Amino acid sequence: MTEQDIHSTPLIELTDINKYYPVGKNQLHVLKNLNLTIERGEFLMIMGKSGSGKTTLMNIIGFLDQISDGTYQFDGEDASKLSENEKSKLRNQYLGFIFQQFFLIPSLNVRQNVELPMVYSGNKKDGKRKELANHYLSLVGLEDKTHVKTTELSGGQQQRVAIARALVNDPLLIMADEPTGALDSETGQDIMNILTELNKQGKTIVMVTHDNDMRKYATRVIYMKDGLFLTEEEYLNA
Ligand SMILES: Nc1ncnc2c1ncn2[C@@H]1O[C@H](COP(=O)(O)OP(=O)(O)O)[C@@H](O)[C@H]1O
Ligand SMILES: [Mg+2]
C-alpha cells in the first residue's frame, strides 16, 4: 500500500449494519440497515431525539457493543475479527470518550483521572504521564486544578477534565455522547468551543446530540430517527 492508499482508507466504515436487542421473547430492532462512513478530520454530528439509537451506534463504533449483522471496518480492519483484548487495546489507544455524565473517578484527583488511560495502556513512565496530563489539562484551561478533587469542580470543569482524559493517548477519534447534556448553555458553549478548536487542529470527532443548536459546530450533520438515517428535511418535518 502507498501512503496515498493508507490515507484514503476511511477511519470508520459501517455497511448495512443492524442491531437487535433481545427484549423478553422478542427482538427490538434498534439500528436498521445503516451505512455510515467517517473520514479523518471530520466533526460529524449525529442528531436525533431520545430513543433514536444514537448511543447504541456510538457503543458499536467504540467497540463497547457489537452489531447483529453487517460489517464494521475500523481504519480498514474488520472489527468482527478482533478479540476482546484487541478491542480493549483499540479503545484505549485510538479512541477518546466523552460522556454526558463525565464519569470521572471521585477518589482520584484531577491529574490522576487524566493519567488513567495512560496507566491502562502501560506504555508511559510516571514522569512522562504527569507531564502529558499537565499538558492536556493546560490545554483545557485547568492547569491550576491538577491536585483538586473532581467533586470540588463545576460541571463544566469536570467535562474539561474528561476532555483532557480523552485526549491524553492522542486518539484517532474523539467520541462524545451528549457532552453538553448536563451543562447550562453557556458552559456547553465553552465545551463546544474546545471541541471545535481540537477539530480545527485535525482531531476527528463524532458527537451525538438531540440539540439542533449544536449543528453549527459540525462539519457534517446526519439525522436519525427510530434507528434510521433521515435527510435534514425529513428530520425537521417529522
Ligand atoms: N441494552 C438494551 N437492551 C434493550 N433495549 C435497549 C438497550 N439499549 C438501548 N435499548 C433501546 O434501544 C433504543 C435506542 O436506545 P439508545 O441507543 O440509547 O438511543 P438514544 O441514545 O438515541 O437515546 C431505545 O428504544 C432503547 O430503549
Ligand atoms: Mg443516548
Side-chain angles (χ1 to χ4, degrees), residues 107-170:
S107 59
L108 302 177
N109 72 26
V110 165
R111 194 178 65 206
Q112 288 166 333
N113 268 277
V114 175
E115 283 185 49
L116 267 190
M118 296 185 282
V119 172
Y120 292 139
S121 53
N123 55 5
K124 300 263 176 0
K125 296 210 172 75
D126 263 22
K128 187 70 186 166
R129 280 209 307 263
K130 271 187 195 160
E131 187 189 317
L132 280 168
N134 287 339
H135 168 75
Y136 285 104
L137 281 167
S138 58
L139 201 82
V140 297
L142 290 177
E143 58 280 357
D144 56 341
K145 301 283 184 200
T146 53
H147 286 79
V148 171
K149 292 187 91 173
T150 59
T151 47
E152 288 164 27
L153 300 178
S154 70
Q157 288 171 328
Q158 290 188 56
Q159 196 58 303
R160 285 192 273 150
V161 176
I163 293 174
R165 181 183 58 185
L167 287 170
V168 83
N169 276 346
D170 194 22

Side-chain angles (χ1 to χ4, degrees), residues 21-23 28 30-31 48-57 65 177-178 208 224:
Y21 285 119
V23 178
L28 187 63
V30 177
L31 301 179
K49 299 207 172 80
S50 177
S52 55
K54 305 183 301 295
T55 295
T56 303
L57 182 58
D65 200 352
D177 191 343
E178 306 268 7
V208 305
M224 212 172 163

